[in-house]
Amino acid sequence: REALAATARLCGPELERYGRCVAASPGSWHRDCRGLRDSVTRCASAHPLVRRIGRDCSESLRALERCLRERPGNAAECEPRAGAFLRCAQSVT
């Protein structure tokens, strides 16, 4: 939770814009919101704890991203992978 809270605190505006884009583009967010996703990534990578999560949880993060890419119109199917990533991130903190 600490890492997620740190990311939200440090990168709140970027996360908010990305979230609005994803919500507005349910079938094409993976294309339409790529630049915004990259800005969240750049912002988050500036925080040491977030970098550590990215390193230690890269496998579960890649699985989540792959699932989201393969199911652009039905992200709910990726909830198990999102949960695995969140559990990993919490274990790092």
Side-chain angles (χ1 to χ4, degrees), residues 4-91:
L4 299 176
T7 302
R9 187 173 59 251
L10 297 169
C11 305
E14 290 87 349
L15 285 168
E16 187 176 329
R17 285 191 294 272
Y18 179 57
R20 281 197 308 262
C21 181
V22 169
S25 306
S28 60
W29 64 268
H30 56 290
R31 286 187 313 275
D32 297 347
C33 307
R34 182 175 293 146
L36 293 170
R37 183 194 64 204
D38 292 346
S39 71
V40 171
T41 301
R42 279 191 302 276
C43 179
S45 67
H47 193 280
L49 182 58
V50 177
R51 282 197 310 265
R52 194 166 135 215
I53 288 171
R55 183 190 67 227
D56 294 356
C57 303
S58 62
E59 187 175 316
S60 61
L61 179 57
R62 278 195 304 272
L64 173 59
E65 289 174 337
R66 187 172 43 254
C67 181
L68 291 170
R69 254 193 328 274
E70 292 169 356
R71 296 163 181 81
N74 197 357
E77 290 181 19
C78 301
E79 285 181 21
R81 288 171 185 85
F85 172 69
L86 291 174
R87 284 189 298 278
C88 180
Q90 289 172 351
S91 73

